[in-house]
């Protein structure tokens, strides 16, 4: 009956709820800041099932909304490598294209990073450089692009009209990107339904777009660079 976001202390077998939510305004996709002190999460807007805004959460402070404009739907948020900014996917609540925006952890108005009459989404900041990888259909298919976090012309890492690329993830050293790849003739690739899962592959690219590896699979991630 009590929902929200919680820390789990597995050695102590203890759960600590740090943010409460109701049955119609729950949190999604919580992600840690680089120093582990904060979380950013989407919070579904009550009464608007396809809309959400971004919230900052911590053990030491009350949850704080950092985007709240009802004209926009904000999702898929990640901290930059210094933890000072958050990059995310933004779309008008009335519908339309997806763009990439940024907002400061300390507050203030969001700003556009990558926009256009295209679908630009799923940005991941580099762990070692001031740049992002993201997914866009600006070249005719769903490809992975590289861009600076302060703007500039995005660069297609590997144009591939036969496949749609999804969910890019940086390696810990910031030199490689792993993506999920689904053929363009698979109808449910955007939602990764049964058809897409049955035919998906994963591929590893470097920052110059050269492919290093490919195998069957979906939605991979990298092992952390633990000490």
């Amino acid at each position: 009956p009590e929902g929200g976001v919680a820390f789990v202390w597995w050695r102590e077998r203890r759960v600590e709820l740090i943010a409460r939510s109701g049955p119609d305004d729950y949190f999604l996709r919580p992600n840690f800041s680089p120093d582990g002190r904060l979380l950013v999460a989407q919070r579904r807007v009550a009464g608007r099932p396809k809309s959400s805004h971004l919230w900052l959460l911590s053990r030491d402070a009350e949850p704080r909304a950092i985007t709240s404009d009802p004209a926009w739907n904000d999702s898929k948020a990640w901290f930059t490598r210094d933890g000072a900014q958050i990059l995310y996917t933004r779309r008008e609540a009335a519908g339309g294209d997806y763009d990439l925006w940024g907002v400061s952890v300390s507050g203030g108005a969001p700003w556009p990073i990558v926009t256009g009459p295209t679908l630009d989404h799923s940005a991941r900041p580099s762990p070692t450089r001031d740049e992002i990888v993201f997914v866009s259909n600006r070249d005719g298919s769903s490809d992975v692009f590289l861009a600076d976090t302060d703007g500039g012309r995005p660069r297609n890492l590997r144009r591939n009209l036969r496949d749609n690329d999804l969910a890019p993830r940086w390696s810990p050293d910031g030199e490689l990107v792993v993506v999920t790849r689904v053929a363009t003739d698979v109808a449910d690739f955007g939602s990764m339904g049964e058809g897409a899962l049955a035919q998906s592959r994963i591929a590893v690219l470097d920052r110059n777009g050269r492919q290093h590896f490919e195998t069957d699979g979906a939605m991979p991630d990298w092992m952390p660079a633990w000490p």
Side-chain angles (χ1 to χ4, degrees), residues 55-101:
W55 287 66
L56 283 179
L57 315 175
S58 76
R59 298 184 62 220
D60 305 320
E62 290 295 315
R64 173 168 63 93
I66 56 172
T67 67
S68 58
D69 190 333
W72 294 95
N73 177 35
D74 306 318
S75 64
K76 296 183 179 181
W78 290 89
F79 287 90
T80 54
R81 62 192 178 103
D82 61 3
Q85 300 173 0
I86 292 169
L87 307 185
Y88 63 99
T89 301
R90 170 166 266 204
R91 184 188 194 191
E92 290 188 27
D97 297 322
Y98 292 92
D99 296 315
L100 302 180
W101 286 61

Side-chain angles (χ1 to χ4, degrees), residues 140-177:
S141 61
S142 180
D143 297 325
V144 175
F145 285 74
L146 182 71
D148 295 334
T149 53
D150 60 357
R153 184 175 178 82
R155 175 168 60 89
N156 195 330
L157 285 186
R158 189 178 177 88
R159 189 180 186 193
N160 185 355
L161 296 177
R162 296 172 301 175
D163 296 309
N164 288 305
D165 290 340
L166 303 166
R169 302 285 188 269
W170 285 105
S171 61
D173 63 2
E175 296 299 326
L176 300 171
V177 178

Side-chain angles (χ1 to χ4, degrees), residues 203-226:
V204 174
L205 311 174
D206 62 27
R207 295 178 64 257
N208 295 314
R210 187 166 70 93
Q211 182 167 307
H212 291 254
F213 177 77
E214 187 174 32
T215 189
D216 294 339
M219 300 301 176
D221 211 337
W222 298 85
M223 181 176 176
W226 290 321

